[in-house]
Amino acid sequence: MPGKLIYLMGPSGSGKDSLLQLASDDLLANGCRIARRVITRSAESVGEDALGVTAEAFARMVEEGAFALHWQANGLSYGIPRQIDDWLASGLDVLVNGSREYLPVARQRYPDLLAVLLVVQPGMLRQRLLARKRETAAQIDARLARNASFVEADDGCVTIDNTGRLEDAKTRLIDLVMDARRRT
Ligand SMILES: Nc1ncnc2c1ncn2[C@@H]1O[C@H](COP(=O)(O)OP(=O)(O)O)[C@@H](O)[C@H]1O
Ligand SMILES: O=P(O)(O)OC[C@H]1O[C@H](OP(=O)(O)OP(=O)(O)O)[C@H](O)[C@@H]1O
C-alpha cells in the first residue's frame, strides 16, 4: 500500500523548520520520512537539514530529473528529491516542507496528498523572523508582503496553530500524520 505525502506549508516564520526538527524522531518512529530539500542558498544560511547548491547545479539537477517537485520563491529554487517516490511506493509516509504557491502543482502530481497549513496569530510573524536573524530587514518585508497573496486556509487543508508552544504544534502534527496513516 503506498504511503501518504504530507505537504506542510505556512508563511515564512510560522515555524515549519522548527516543527520538523522537533518532530523528526517521532515522525521517523511512526514510519514517516522527512524529505531533505535542495535549495540554492549557501550552506551556512540554509538553517535546516537541506542541501545548499549553486543555481547552475540546481538547473543541472532539474534537467537530470533529480526532483519529484521543484519550485521557485523568495529569489531561491527549491527541489524535493525523487527518492520520495521510492519511499511512498514502499509504504512509508513522506513529509515535505512545501510552498503555498506551488500547492496546486503538487496536488496534480500527488492527488491524495494531505495539505497542512501552519499558522500563527497576525503580528507575530515579523517578531519571529527578526528573532531568527537569517534575513535582512528588506527580505523580511518582502516575505511578509508575499503573504498577502495567499488565502489563510481552504477546505482542502488542515491547520496547525503555532502561536503558542512548539511542543503543542508537534503533538498536533504527529496526530495528523498518524490519523492519515490509519485512513490510507
Ligand atoms: N512556537 C514557537 N514559539 C516561539 N518561537 C518559535 C516557535 N516556533 C518557531 N519559533 C521561532 O520562530 C522563528 C521562525 O521559525 P522557523 O522554523 O525558521 O520558521 P519557518 O521555517 O516557517 O520560516 C525561529 O527563530 C524559531 O526559533
Ligand atoms: O509559497 P510560499 O508558501 O510563500 O513558500 C515559498 C517558500 O518559502 C519557504 O521556504 P524557506 O524555507 O526558504 O522560507 P522560510 O524558512 O522563511 O519559511 C517555503 O518552504 C517555500 O519553499
Side-chain angles (χ1 to χ4, degrees):
M1 191 193 312
K4 188 92 172 164
L5 184 71
I6 296 137
Y7 187 91
L8 178 68
M9 309 161 283
S12 184
S14 58
K16 301 178 297 297
D17 290 346
S18 308
L19 179 58
L20 292 183
Q21 274 170 31
L22 186 67
S24 62
D25 287 350
D26 283 6
L27 288 170
L28 203 61
N30 283 290
C32 181
R33 300 288 175 98
I34 300 175
R36 186 175 185 225
R37 303 199 291 183
V38 177
I39 308 179
T40 55
R41 183 153 59 194
S42 70
E44 310 80 66
S45 66
V46 159
E48 64 177 270
D49 182 25
L51 177 64
V53 298
T54 62
E56 294 72 27
F58 191 95
R60 252 193 328 272
M61 292 174 86
V62 170
E63 272 177 29
E64 290 164 5
F67 299 127
L69 300 168
H70 63 96
W71 63 90
Q72 293 190 318
N74 303 324
L76 301 168
S77 298
Y78 300 81
I80 304 293
R82 284 213 80 93
Q83 182 188 27
I84 70 165
D85 289 334
D86 297 334
W87 286 339
L88 291 168
S90 71
L92 288 163
D93 297 330
V94 175
L95 204 150
V96 165
N97 182 351
S99 148
R100 292 165 295 174
E101 182 176 59
Y102 187 75
L103 174 64
V105 184
R107 269 211 173 107
Q108 276 170 17
R109 174 112 217 268
Y110 300 95
D112 294 330
L113 65 75
L114 174 68
V116 179
L117 183 68
L118 192 62
V119 296
V120 296
Q121 262 170 20
M124 195 173 272
L125 283 178
R126 182 181 296 276
Q127 207 175 303
R128 292 219 174 144
L129 287 170
L130 287 169
R132 181 166 73 180
K133 295 188 169 72
R134 192 177 72 193
E135 284 80 21
T136 63
Q139 286 171 327
I140 288 176
D141 283 344
R143 280 165 181 247
L144 291 172
R146 180 176 170 88
N147 293 332
S149 56
F150 297 103
V151 289
E152 273 306 290
D154 68 33
D155 292 344
C157 74
V158 294
T159 58
I160 298 179
D161 192 343
N162 188 32
T163 303
R165 292 176 346 125
L166 189 59
E167 188 67 41
D168 294 338
K170 173 192 144 180
T171 303
R172 168 114 170 102
L173 175 66
I174 301 294
D175 284 351
L176 286 173
V177 170
M178 290 177 67
D179 192 47
R181 170 164 282 264
R182 275 194 294 271
R183 287 166 196 267
T184 303

